[in-house]
Structures are given as structure tokens and as C-alpha cells.
Amino acid sequence: MEDNKKHIKTTNWGLVFVMAGSMTATLIGSGFATGQEIMQYFVAHEWTGTLGVIATFLAVGFSSDAFFKAGLASKQNLDSPNDVFKVFAGDKIGGLYKYIALITLFLTYAVMVAGAGATIQQQFEVPIYIGSGFIYVASALTVILGMDKITRILGNIGPTIAGFAIVLGLLSLFTNNSDLGQSSGMIHEAVASGAIQAASGNWLVSALNYVGLIIMLNAGFIAQIGIQANNQTETKVAALFSSGFYALGIFILYMAFMGTFSLIVGAQVPTLAIANQLHPWLGYAFIVIILLAIYSTVVSMLWNVAASVTTDGTISNKLVTAVLGFIATAIGLFLPFDQLVNIVYVVAGYFGIIFLFMMIWRALTRLLAK
């Protein structure tokens, strides 16, 4: 008995890093890796975008720790991944959010596979369905392997992707930052003319919308990762590591975009434009990183949707995975990638903002009750 208690209280650092890596992998999808999220949520607000990065770090750290803890407390009692919304908002409101999250996940899967197609098309000038089709097949096959295998795979991929993006941003920032001085005026003009999309007209609303989107897309999956934790220390440290690494990646790419704005304005995949400018071979290497980032995110999304309507690992689950993934991929081929990001992400983000305030209110009332 004492051994069991000791095991529960001891922090398993290997597990902490796997949890943090898996969470990071789910956060870093096509919007982050291609740079479209950073352009629309942060760069579009010029220098006040730095405040948005700070707000994002704080809110993602708070919410992810709460979802990890919900998974730890519930263990195997969550009937479906998105039942975690009921933990914070009750059966009625939480149940509504469960279905909103499912619709958001399905549509965002379409956004992600469109991002893969846009990336391949920009670099190799091939039809967009080639890249989209590749990501669909890879993600569907991975989901069929089941949740345990997914966590291990993503735990290794996430830090690699974030690290590569950070290195790319630093290289760009130190070798080509000629636009930093006049970036505000250039960005203001680009937003006014519609050359780049903006998530909202206010930096704080954009940051909260971004966190709201993360909540809607990742709450269920993060809670499932939390099930594997032994104690709340592991959930807190994993949430801190992941949110901190993620915010650092956002900030460095944000600065790189500010310094090379004239190069990336209008590009569907800004990070790829920077990579090609640094060196052609770096562009080809970054293609792989972007596709890994998209793959790592769509796997968790497709798993979430399929596991919400069927039991993980069953024949029906495998069939639903293949069919729903194919339908979402087909939808993603009809609209330009930047428009998909601006429509689907922003609408989902506003639902997430409301839920974030529910979580904060719940945490405050519990704190005051002590």
C-alpha cells in the first residue's frame, strides 16, 4: 500500500514530457506551422500582438492544466472525449458544447487537410488534392491504431516540430529583419486592403479567440492525455512546459514575420516563403515539418470525432474514421486555405471564449469557497 502511495506521489518526468509533447503536437497544426494563425491572430495587430502572445500563454496554461486534471480525476469515466465539457459546464450547457466541439473538429480537419494541399501546391505546383489526400490517408491509418499508440507517436513529434519552427524564425530574424522599423504601417495597409486576414479588430479579443479555438479543438484530447497522469504535479508541469514552448514558438515566428513582412504578405504559407528565402533546401525540409505538424493535429481531431460516435478500436470505429475523414477532406478542397482559417477558426473561437470564462468563474468560486 505504501509503495502505491509513493508511486502516485512521485513525479514521472518521462511521462510529463510525453504528455507535454502530445499536447504541443495537437496545438501545432497547419495554422501554426504554415504561419496563417500567427498572421491573423497576432501579426495583424502590429506590435500589440506581443501582448496577445502573453495572454495566450497564460490562458492556454490555465485551461490545459484544468483539462489535464479533469482527465486525471475522471480516469476512464468519460464516456466520450468531449464529455469533459460537462465537467465544467454541467450536462445541459456542457452537452451543447460537446456537439459544437464535434462540428468544429470535423470542419477544422477540413481546414488542416486544405493546409497540406496548399503547402504542397505552393512548393511543387501540383494539384491541391495530392497533399490533402496524403494527409487523409496517413491520419486515418494512425487513428485506427488507437489512443495509446497515438499519444506515444505525437509525444515525439510535437517538440521536434516546435523546435524546427523556432530555429527557422530565429534564422530569419537574424538574417533578414529589414521590415521591423516600418512593419506597423505595412501591416495596417495590408489589413485595410484585405491582403491579409485579421481574426478581429482588437488584440485581446484575437488572443482570447485563439485560446477559445484551442479549447474547442483540444479539450477532449488533452483530458484523455491527463488520464495517464499519476498526480496533479505532473499535470501542472506538463501544462506549463507545453504552453510555454508553444508561446515561445508563436513569439519567435511573430517577430520573424514582422521583420520580413514585405516577403510574406499575401502568401498562403508564410513560413514556407521564409524558408525558401533562407535556402531552397530549407524550404524542402520545412515542407516535411509542415506536413508533420498537420498530421499530428488532424490525428487527434479525427480520433476525437470517431471516438465520440463509436468505441475506440472497434471495426465500426475504423469504418467511421475512414468515411468521416474522406468527407472532411473533400470539403477542404472547395475553399482557399486562408479563408477557411478565417471563417472556421474565428467562429469556433468565440464559442471557446465563453467556455473559457466559465472555467475561470468555476476556478474562482472554488478558490473563494476554501
Side-chain angles (χ1 to χ4, degrees):
M1 186 70 177
E2 286 297 317
D3 290 341
N4 288 338
K5 288 181 179 179
K6 184 178 180 181
H7 173 71
I8 293 173
K9 291 180 179 179
T10 301
T11 300
N12 183 337
W13 290 101
L15 178 60
V16 166
F17 287 119
V18 167
M19 290 172 60
S22 297
M23 176 180 153
T24 303
T26 64
L27 299 181
I28 298 176
S30 62
F32 176 94
T34 61
Q36 275 295 336
E37 285 179 1
I38 296 166
M39 287 288 287
Q40 297 189 23
Y41 286 90
F42 304 102
V43 174
H45 297 292
E46 304 162 33
W47 289 111
T48 54
T50 56
L51 299 176
V53 176
I54 295 170
T56 297
F57 163 64
L58 295 173
V60 170
F62 163 77
S63 59
S64 59
D65 179 45
F67 290 133
F68 275 147
K69 286 179 180 175
L72 173 62
S74 300
K75 287 297 180 184
Q76 303 296 334
N77 295 328
L78 295 175
D79 293 330
S80 76
N82 292 311
D83 279 343
V84 70
F85 287 105
K86 295 181 181 179
V87 174
F88 295 93
D91 287 341
K92 290 184 178 179
I93 297 177
L96 175 63
Y97 264 87
K98 172 182 176 179
Y99 292 107
I100 294 173
L102 279 176
I103 295 170
T104 302
L105 284 161
F106 179 77
L107 291 176
T108 305
Y109 181 92
V111 173
M112 296 289 178
V113 294
T119 301
I120 296 293
Q121 184 183 53
Q122 180 172 316
Q123 185 73 2
F124 300 106
E125 297 182 354
V126 296
I128 195 169
Y129 61 79
I130 292 179
S132 297
F134 172 76
I135 288 296
Y136 157 64
V137 172
S139 61
L141 290 176
T142 305
V143 170
I144 288 171
L145 292 175
M147 179 63 188
D148 291 339
K149 294 282 182 64
I150 290 172
T151 302
R152 297 294 167 179
I153 292 171
L154 300 190
N156 293 320
I157 290 177
T160 302
I161 299 168
F164 198 99
I166 288 171
V167 170
L168 176 70
L170 288 172
L171 284 173
S172 176
L173 191 58
F174 286 118
T175 59
N176 185 5
N177 55 18
S178 58
D179 290 342
L180 279 177
Q182 61 266 26
S183 59
S184 288
M186 297 167 68
I187 293 168
H188 182 79
E189 183 178 334
V191 172
S193 66
I196 65 170
Q197 307 274 353
S200 81
N202 177 272
W203 68 267
L204 181 58
V205 174
S206 282
L208 291 176
N209 188 281
Y210 191 51
V211 177
L213 173 67
I214 288 172
I215 289 172
M216 297 304 296
L217 295 179
N218 300 297
F221 191 77
I222 292 174
Q224 290 294 312
I225 298 173
I227 287 175
Q228 301 175 49
N230 298 305
N231 52 61
Q232 292 191 1
T233 299
E234 291 178 351
T235 66
K236 287 179 180 178
V237 176
L240 178 63
F241 280 177
S242 182
S243 58
F245 200 38
Y246 186 57
L248 177 63
I250 291 173
F251 178 71
I252 290 174
L253 285 179
Y254 161 82
M255 290 298 295
F257 291 171
M258 296 289 279
T260 58
F261 189 76
S262 59
L263 171 70
I264 62 173
V265 62
Q268 290 284 305
V269 188
T271 49
L272 184 57
I274 287 178
N276 281 321
Q277 188 264 339
L278 289 169
H279 195 282
W281 284 108
L282 190 58
Y284 289 115
F286 203 69
I287 286 285
V288 176
I289 293 298
I290 290 174
L291 292 179
L292 280 174
I294 295 170
Y295 160 80
S296 68
T297 305
V298 297
V299 163
S300 64
M301 291 176 181
L302 188 55
W303 172 86
N304 193 320
V305 174
S308 294
V309 295
T310 57
T311 302
D312 186 31
T314 62
I315 297 296
S316 60
N317 177 262
K318 294 174 174 38
L319 181 62
V320 166
T321 296
V323 172
L324 290 180
F326 180 81
I327 294 172
T329 300
I331 292 173
L333 297 175
F334 285 100
L335 285 174
F337 178 52
D338 58 346
Q339 289 184 27
L340 278 169
V341 170
N342 195 256
I343 296 170
V344 176
Y345 282 21
V346 174
V347 171
Y350 282 117
F351 281 107
I353 289 175
I354 297 171
F355 195 82
L356 174 63
F357 286 139
M358 291 182 192
M359 294 177 69
I360 294 172
W361 175 254
R362 182 174 183 265
L364 286 174
T365 52
R366 285 193 166 193
L367 186 64
L368 293 173
K370 290 182 179 180

